[in-house]
Amino acid sequence: MGLAICFDVIFDDVIWQGAQDGAQLYLLQSNNGDFRGTDENLQQAAFARMRAIETGRSVVNVSTTGTSQAFAPTAPSSTTFPPTPPAPASPPSHYAPD
């Protein structure tokens, strides 16, 4: 598995090193919280799709705050997973208020 963080997808040497090391799948982790309201998430998705086609390997782009996508190297489109809203804060189940 080739691992990289969000912006590494733009660096050829990082991606190709994973392929040379035998990666059959890339997992790109991201926290896009600082880029809400921008096209950054779309830009990452475009690069991830290009890397899937270029390397012949599937790419999964996982975001903690934006959309996540999976790209197959031969598929014309992607699978998109919408952001999950944060869970409400709640006390641990063993907590007993006084």
Side-chain angles (χ1 to χ4, degrees):
M1 181 179 305
L3 300 174
I5 59 173
C6 54
F7 59 83
D8 282 344
V9 73
I10 68 169
F11 297 110
D12 293 338
D13 57 335
V14 172
I15 300 303
W16 281 106
Q17 185 63 54
Q20 291 168 354
D21 290 343
Q24 296 300 307
L25 167 78
Y26 286 98
L27 181 62
L28 310 175
Q29 312 122 83
S30 183
N31 178 341
N32 299 326
D34 291 341
F35 300 99
R36 286 188 179 116
T38 72
D39 289 334
E40 187 266 347
N41 193 49
L42 297 173
Q43 182 184 37
Q44 278 184 7
F47 266 100
R49 174 174 285 155
M50 178 193 71
R51 295 302 187 186
I53 295 166
E54 177 183 54
T55 63
R57 289 151 174 86
S58 294
V59 174
V60 180
N61 202 28
V62 181
S63 176
T64 58
T65 57
T67 57
S68 297
Q69 305 93 3
F71 301 96
T74 57
S77 63
S78 65
T79 301
T80 300
F81 308 97
T84 303
S90 60
S93 59
H94 66 276
Y95 177 76
D98 294 331

